[in-house]
Amino acid sequence: MIDENQNSPGGTLLSWWYTKYHILRNDPFYVTIPKGTFTGNRTWHPNTTNTCSYPDKPPSSPAPQTGLNLSAGNRRAPITGLYDWSKAGYLQGGDLPGDSDFGGTTISAEQMSNQFGVKPDDGVDDSAGIQAAIDYMKTNCTSGSYTHLCKIILPGGTLEVSKQIWVDVNYLVISGQGTGSGGTRMVFTPDATTRYDTVTPDGSRWDQDCMTVKDDTGKTIATAGWLWPGRGLFRVQSRAVHPDYQTAYDNSPEGRKDIFEGTVNVHWKAGAKLRDKPGDTGFAARTGDSKVYLDVKTPSKVMANIKVGGYINIRAANTMNFYQQMQALPTDFDLQDMHMRQQIFQITGVGNSSTDKWITIDKPLEYDVPVNSTSDGSDPIPAPKNPSPCADAATTTAPYASKASPIVDPILGVGIENLTISQNEPSLNRGDAVHNYGNMDPAGAMHGIVLKWAINDWVKNVHTDMTGSHPIVTEEAKNLTITDNYLDGSWNKGKGGNGYFRGSRVWDSIYAGNITRNLRHFTFQWSASGNVAIGNDIDSDFNLHGGWERNNLIEDNRSNVPFAHRSANCFSNCGDEGDSPPDNSNWYPIWWAAGRKAVKWSGSSGYNNVFFNNTMTKETEPGGAYTPFYADRTRIYEFGWNCSSWQPLGNGSSIDDWAGHETEDFTNGGGVCAQKTDQGPSLFLKNVG
C-alpha cells in the first residue's frame, strides 16, 4: 500500500511503484490518492477517492510448458473428426537443429567484434556491422542446408541498433549468448530513416496509404502497404527487387527504398491467373481439391517459377457471396477487392502445355477458389465509399482475379535465438505503457522480429523487453516453430492493430511454451490455418481476429486476464484495427471475430478453431475474483462449427460483435461444437511432460 505522501524517484508515482512492486514481485498493490490531487498523464477521476489494483494476482495454475518435446515421435495420430496437426512446425515435425546440424560457415563472437566491428557496451551503432556479417554469409553460406547450417554468434553485452536488419540468407542461425546475465541485449533506437516518416492526419498511427513513392507525373508507383506488417529490428525476408521497380528503387530516398524490397514475390508480378475447373464454371478449384487450373495464357516467365518442390500461395478473390457467407452483410463499411483466403502449399505436380496448365499441391484446399471476384455469380464488390485521400482515382472496374503465386525467393532454415531485444524510447516511461491499449509513439511502431515469405524457420529463447509494436509477427509464412520465448511489453498497443503476438497469414506452425506479458492480444488472423498454440502462458486473450482463420488448435495454455486488460483502458491514440473507438466491454481469454464487426478490417473468423484443456480465467471487476472460462478440461470446443460444417456464432441469429456475448453459451447449436471429449492432456502431443 502506498499513499499520497510517498514519492517516486523519477517518472510518475504510479508507473514507478508499479514497476518496482508489481513487475518485480508479481504482487498486487493499491494506490489511494485524495480527491482532486492526482496529476499525470493518465485519466483519473478527481471527484472520488480512487483505489486501483494493478492487477489482482490470478489464481495459481500450472507453469508454462517450456521445453516441450515437439518431435514427430511424440505426436499423436490424427483424431477422427478433427484437423490433422501432425505436420505442424519446423520441417513438418522435425526437431530443431542440434550441434551436429551446424557444419557450415560460422562467424564467432570474436570475429564479429574484430572483423565486423560489433563491439558490445561501447555505445556505438552496430547495425552496419551485423548487416555486413549477414551479407558476408550470402556468399559464404552457399553449402548450407537444413543439416549443414551456418551461424553468426553475437557477443554478450549490449549492442546498439538503429536500422532494420535483414536476414535473407537461407540456413543461417543468428544466436546470442543468452537472455540472462552476460547475455546478448540488442537495443533498437530507430533512426530518422527507419522511423515512419508519414503518420495519419490525426497522428494516431503510421500511414501506409500516404507513405508513397510517385513517378514524375505524380502517379503513385508504390505505397508503404507493401512493407506490411511493418519494419522491425530483424526482418526475415528477401531483399530482392523486381526489375520493373529497379529504377524507382534507385531513385528513392533511403527511408522509402525498402518499400520495393522483396516485391519479386508479390502476386501481381509472380502470380498466375486461373481458369475454370472442367465441369465447374467459375471456379478453378473447390474445397478438398488438390489440383488448381491455371490460365493457359500464363506467361512463360511466370511458369518458370512454378516448379515441383517449390512453394505457392493459392489466393482466392473476395466475392460478395463470400462476404454473405461470413454474415458480414449488410454493412456500411468498405468491402475490399483482395485475397482474404490464402494458403502456402508445396507443389507436387505441374502441367504446362499450350492448352492445359495446372498444378497439384501437397494437401487439400480448405476453401473454394473462384476464378475472380464475380465468377461465383456475385455482383461486383462496390467501390470504396471512403477511399484513402492518397489513393489514385480508380481506372478499372474489371473483376479482381484470384492467383496462384509462387514464392520465388522464400527464406528457409533461419533461426534467431538466445538474445534479448528491446526498443529504446527515451522520451517515454515504461510504466505508462502497462495496460495502456493505445499508441504512445506511432512513428516508432517497429516490431521485434518480422517473418515474411519465410518457411521452416524458428525463433527460440528470445526475450523481448518493450518493442515498438508486435514482438514477433508473421505475414505469409509456413512451418515455423516459435518456442520458449518471453515477450514483455509494447510501446504501441492501440489504433491500427499494434502490440500483438501476431500470427497472420501463417500456416502449419507451432507456438509453444511462450510467455507474454503486457501485450494486446495473441492472434491468429488473415487466413492463418493449421497452427498449434500449446503450453503458452499469457495475460491477454487468444484472439481469433478475423480474415477466415481456421483449423487452428489452442490447447494446454494458461490465460489469466486481469480486469485492466480491456479496450477502454487507453490513454493515447486509442482504437482497433478498423479505426473504431474503444468499446466498454471486457476482453475475456477468447475473442472471436463476428463478420459484421470484423468486416471493418477483414471479415469473420473461419471454421473449426479448437480450444482444448486450457486454464483460462477473467477478473471481471477490479480486485475481484478470477472467473473460470471454458473450464471443462476434457471437452473439445470447436468454434465456428456446427459439428459438420461452418456456422457463425449466435443463438437464433449470428452475433454482430463478440463484445457483450463473451459469456453466452454457444455450445448448444450456437456455432461452438462441444460434442467431443478427450481424456489425454493434448490433442497434438502424446506426452506434455
Side-chain angles (χ1 to χ4, degrees):
M1 174 73 73
I2 63 175
D3 62 33
E4 68 274 15
N5 298 313
Q6 292 177 281
N7 298 310
S8 66
T12 66
L13 179 147
L14 287 179
S15 63
W16 181 76
W17 280 94
Y18 180 82
T19 301
K20 182 174 182 180
Y21 285 100
H22 176 69
I23 292 177
L24 299 184
R25 293 178 54 198
N26 196 29
D27 289 334
F29 81 97
Y30 301 88
V31 181
T32 301
I33 298 177
K35 297 177 182 178
T37 63
F38 178 78
T39 59
N41 62 359
R42 283 183 175 265
T43 301
W44 201 256
H45 302 286
N47 297 322
T48 60
T49 297
N50 292 272
T51 301
C52 71
S53 169
Y54 256 96
D56 188 17
K57 197 171 185 178
S60 61
S61 54
Q65 293 167 286
T66 56
L68 282 168
N69 177 3
L70 302 173
S71 67
N74 192 38
R75 299 192 180 185
R76 291 182 65 173
I79 299 170
T80 301
L82 294 178
Y83 188 84
D84 178 5
W85 294 284
S86 64
K87 299 294 181 65
Y90 179 71
L91 292 179
Q92 297 187 5
D95 295 334
L96 289 181
D99 292 343
S100 63
D101 297 308
F102 289 91
T105 304
T106 295
I107 300 176
S108 68
E110 292 75 17
Q111 288 173 302
M112 287 297 291
S113 179
N114 298 331
Q115 184 175 342
F116 295 96
V118 179
K119 300 179 185 295
D121 304 319
D122 63 356
V124 176
D125 188 0
D126 297 298
S127 306
I130 297 170
Q131 191 66 69
I134 293 170
D135 293 345
Y136 173 87
M137 283 296 197
K138 292 194 79 162
T139 55
N140 289 275
C141 188
T142 54
S143 63
S145 69
Y146 291 115
T147 57
H148 200 257
L149 296 164
C150 300
K151 180 180 276 192
I152 292 173
I153 303 174
L154 299 173
T158 298
L159 304 178
E160 305 291 341
V161 179
S162 67
K163 297 184 181 297
Q164 178 171 257
I165 295 169
W166 293 80
V167 186
D168 58 346
V169 180
N170 291 340
Y171 314 117
L172 174 64
V173 178
I174 297 177
S175 182
Q177 304 291 325
T179 61
S181 177
T184 301
R185 184 180 187 89
M186 304 182 72
V187 178
F188 190 22
T189 308
D191 65 12
T193 61
T194 303
R195 288 172 60 86
Y196 300 116
D197 60 24
T198 307
V199 296
T200 53
D202 64 359
S204 65
R205 58 185 175 86
W206 69 282
D207 195 330
Q208 58 177 315
D209 296 319
C210 293
M211 185 175 164
T212 61
V213 176
K214 297 181 180 292
D215 63 16
D216 293 338
T217 70
K219 181 180 179 181
T220 299
I221 302 172
T223 75
W226 295 9
L227 289 175
W228 191 255
R231 293 171 175 151
L233 191 156
F234 283 117
R235 191 177 186 92
V236 181
Q237 182 203 304
S238 166
R239 275 182 285 176
V241 177
H242 193 280
D244 289 358
Y245 299 127
Q246 189 64 53
T247 299
Y249 172 86
D250 293 340
N251 294 334
S252 293
E254 182 181 352
R256 301 286 174 96
K257 286 184 181 295
D258 60 345
I259 291 175
F260 297 101
E261 292 178 306
T263 56
V264 68
N265 280 330
V266 296
H267 66 94
W268 55 86
K269 289 295 180 184
K273 293 184 179 180
L274 309 179
R275 64 183 168 97
D276 293 347
K277 171 184 175 180
D280 194 1
T281 302
F283 289 86
R286 293 282 192 170
T287 302
D289 288 349
S290 57
K291 187 173 186 178
V292 181
Y293 291 84
L294 310 182
D295 188 340
V296 295
K297 296 180 181 178
T298 300
S300 58
K301 65 180 180 180
V302 172
M303 291 302 299
N305 289 314
I306 300 176
K307 303 172 182 177
V308 172
Y311 296 93
I312 197 160
N313 189 346
I314 305 301
R315 309 169 65 112
N318 287 357
T319 71
M320 292 298 288
N321 286 346
F322 178 51
Y323 275 119
Q324 185 65 57
Q325 179 189 3
M326 292 189 293
Q327 300 291 301
L329 304 177
T331 182
D332 293 329
F333 301 108
D334 287 339
L335 303 179
Q336 301 178 67
D337 263 335
M338 63 173 300
H339 301 131
M340 189 182 305
R341 294 162 292 180
Q342 301 183 24
Q343 190 162 354
I344 293 176
F345 301 91
Q346 194 160 26
I347 301 169
T348 58
V350 178
N352 188 15
S353 73
S354 60
T355 59
D356 190 19
K357 289 181 170 61
W358 50 264
I359 61 168
T360 55
I361 52 180
D362 63 336
K363 57 193 299 187
L365 281 163
E366 299 174 10
Y367 45 86
D368 292 345
V369 184
V371 172
N372 59 48
S373 59
T374 61
S375 66
D376 68 348
S378 292
D379 292 333
I381 291 177
K385 306 181 192 73
N386 300 295
S388 166
C390 302
D392 292 332
T395 58
T396 179
T397 58
Y400 196 74
S402 297
K403 292 282 187 75
S405 299
I407 311 301
V408 177
D409 194 11
I411 304 303
L412 310 173
V414 162
I416 298 176
E417 56 187 30
N418 303 326
L419 51 84
T420 296
I421 293 170
S422 65
Q423 183 163 319
N424 182 32
E425 295 282 0
S427 65
L428 301 178
N429 189 301
R430 174 181 180 141
D432 294 336
V434 176
H435 292 305
N436 177 2
Y437 300 98
N439 296 330
M440 298 176 67
D441 180 21
M446 309 283 143
H447 310 307
I449 299 172
V450 179
L451 297 117
K452 187 169 183 179
W453 303 312
I455 299 172
N456 289 323
D457 302 322
W458 73 94
V459 180
K460 182 178 181 181
N461 192 31
V462 168
H463 183 175
T464 65
D465 178 28
M466 298 302 293
T467 48
S469 182
H470 311 313
I472 301 175
V473 56
T474 63
E475 191 71 13
E476 297 201 31
K478 173 179 167 62
N479 288 109
L480 308 179
T481 294
I482 312 296
T483 186
D484 297 350
N485 303 292
Y486 192 103
L487 312 177
D488 187 5
S490 171
W491 296 111
N492 297 284
K493 298 193 290 291
K495 197 170 185 179
N498 287 291
Y500 303 175
F501 185 12
R502 187 173 190 261
S504 174
R505 294 187 179 95
V506 61
W507 300 283
D508 308 313
S509 296
I510 296 175
Y511 294 73
N514 302 289
I515 302 171
T516 76
R517 295 291 183 266
N518 190 28
L519 299 178
R520 186 176 175 106
H521 309 301
F522 182 133
T523 67
F524 287 133
Q525 61 187 112
W526 284 107
S527 210
S529 173
N531 304 294
V532 177
I534 181 172
N536 302 285
D537 180 338
I538 70 175
D539 64 351
S540 59
D541 50 323
F542 286 102
N543 195 295
L544 302 172
H545 203 58
W548 209 242
E549 73 281 6
R550 60 202 176 270
N551 293 327
N552 299 293
L553 173 61
I554 300 170
E555 67 165 16
D556 289 280
N557 302 286
R558 177 169 65 182
S559 172
N560 294 316
V561 182
F563 179 79
H565 183 71
R566 58 202 311 266
S567 178
N569 207 0
C570 178
F571 308 97
S572 55
N573 302 311
C574 307
D576 60 26
E577 241 182 33
D579 285 346
S580 295
D583 59 40
N584 199 36
S585 65
N586 285 325
W587 280 332
Y588 277 73
I590 296 173
W591 195 91
W592 187 84
R596 281 184 283 274
K597 166 86 168 185
V599 72
K600 288 185 290 183
W601 58 85
S602 59
S604 172
S605 296
Y607 58 88
N608 204 30
N609 291 293
V610 174
F611 290 82
F612 175 71
N613 197 24
N614 297 289
T615 299
M616 298 189 294
T617 65
K618 172 64 180 179
E619 184 188 32
T620 56
E621 58 183 30
Y626 277 74
T627 303
F629 194 69
Y630 285 85
D632 188 336
R633 302 291 289 272
T634 64
R635 193 156 303 279
I636 299 169
Y637 298 103
E638 303 172 75
F639 275 64
W641 196 244
N642 67 5
C643 301
S644 62
S645 61
W646 149 254
Q647 181 182 328
L649 270 59
N651 290 313
S653 62
S654 60
I655 60 173
D656 292 340
D657 189 347
W658 177 251
H661 294 278
E662 299 94 341
T663 60
E664 189 172 338
D665 184 1
F666 296 108
T667 62
N668 188 23
V672 177
C673 179
Q675 293 183 1
K676 302 182 185 72
T677 60
D678 193 277
Q679 299 303 313
S682 166
L683 304 178
F684 176 55
L685 299 178
K686 297 175 183 176
N687 187 342
V688 297

